Amino acid sequence: DVKAKRAQLEWERLLSPGSLASVPLSELRRIYNGSTYGNPGPQSILNTTLSDEDPLVVDRFRAAIEFLLWDESIPVAERIDRVMDESQLGLRGFKEGAIMKFLAVARPNEFLAVYPFTGGMGKAAMLQALNGDVPPMSATVGTRQVVANDTLRSVVDPLFPDDAWAQSRFLYWLKTRSDESGLTLDDLTVDADVDRLGAAAED
């Protein structure tokens, strides 16, 4: 956890507005590859796209990240969709996992370090485990990601204020626990008449 938080702070500074032009490609690779601050999954296609370090391709990659993170004139869901689209700002292989990791690293007060939407440990599964509303697959990738992220954050942000990493790790833990115990979102709602501390102590 300490290593993950330290890396996020370091990368957040590198990705701050106006700084991307000076960030080495090797450092951008460190962000989207590997499991430090959460694992976005295999990035072999993106690695291949960037393997020749063609200046035009690398500049396009930096421009896509800059747009994704900091162009406040467009809603973030639409920015995700445009960066996913290779006919607009996207690059081959720059897809959902890496995109959401860049957002989580650069904007930790807004985005959880939970990158996939689908799959057994994705945002949809976490919402289902909590009996929350899951955005439909008919919605765009950007819309699904943003709506699911915001719904999950509304649950965990009060529990771990200003600690996006703890919020994300708690969701993974909660998903595993709910698989075993049937815990739902209603179980997290505080009832003023219940001595929750006493119940926790008894457990």
Side-chain angles (χ1 to χ4, degrees), residues 10-186:
E10 174 191 344
W11 291 337
E12 184 180 2
R13 287 191 292 271
L14 290 177
L15 297 175
S16 59
S19 299
L20 271 160
S22 61
V23 179
L25 178 59
S26 59
E27 201 63 36
L28 296 176
R29 283 195 180 107
R30 280 187 63 214
I31 295 173
Y32 73 74
N33 274 319
S35 58
T36 302
Y37 203 70
N39 192 342
Q43 301 298 320
S44 56
I45 298 175
L46 180 56
N47 286 331
T48 299
T49 298
L50 298 168
S51 61
D52 293 337
E53 300 192 14
D54 181 329
L56 293 177
V57 176
V58 175
D59 282 353
R60 181 181 172 91
F61 185 46
R62 287 197 180 99
I65 297 169
E66 181 87 26
F67 169 81
L68 171 71
L69 299 179
W70 307 120
D71 192 335
E72 301 288 358
S73 67
I74 299 172
V76 68
E78 186 177 337
R79 301 202 304 265
I80 292 169
D81 291 332
R82 290 181 64 178
V83 171
M84 288 274 294
D85 187 345
E86 292 174 39
S87 69
Q88 296 192 47
L89 296 170
L91 287 86
R92 183 171 175 270
F94 189 29
K95 300 303 178 188
E96 198 170 354
I99 286 169
M100 296 313 299
K101 184 167 185 178
F102 275 111
L103 283 166
V105 165
R107 306 181 74 136
N109 294 329
E110 300 171 56
F111 290 94
L112 296 163
V114 178
Y115 307 131
F117 176 78
T118 57
M121 296 302 279
K123 292 183 178 77
M126 290 176 177
L127 286 169
Q128 275 187 318
L130 296 171
N131 282 348
D133 293 331
V134 178
M137 290 299 293
S138 57
T140 68
V141 171
T143 298
R144 293 198 306 257
Q145 281 282 359
V146 170
V147 171
N149 176 82
D150 291 351
T151 303
L152 290 169
R153 280 191 67 248
S154 71
V155 174
V156 294
D157 190 54
L159 304 176
F160 302 94
D162 302 319
D163 193 340
W165 180 250
Q167 294 169 18
S168 303
R169 297 312 93 185
F170 178 73
L171 281 169
Y172 279 112
W173 173 84
L174 190 64
K175 172 63 173 66
T176 303
R177 182 179 173 88
S178 66
D179 288 344
E180 300 168 353
S181 67
L183 187 69
T184 70
L185 189 60
D186 292 336

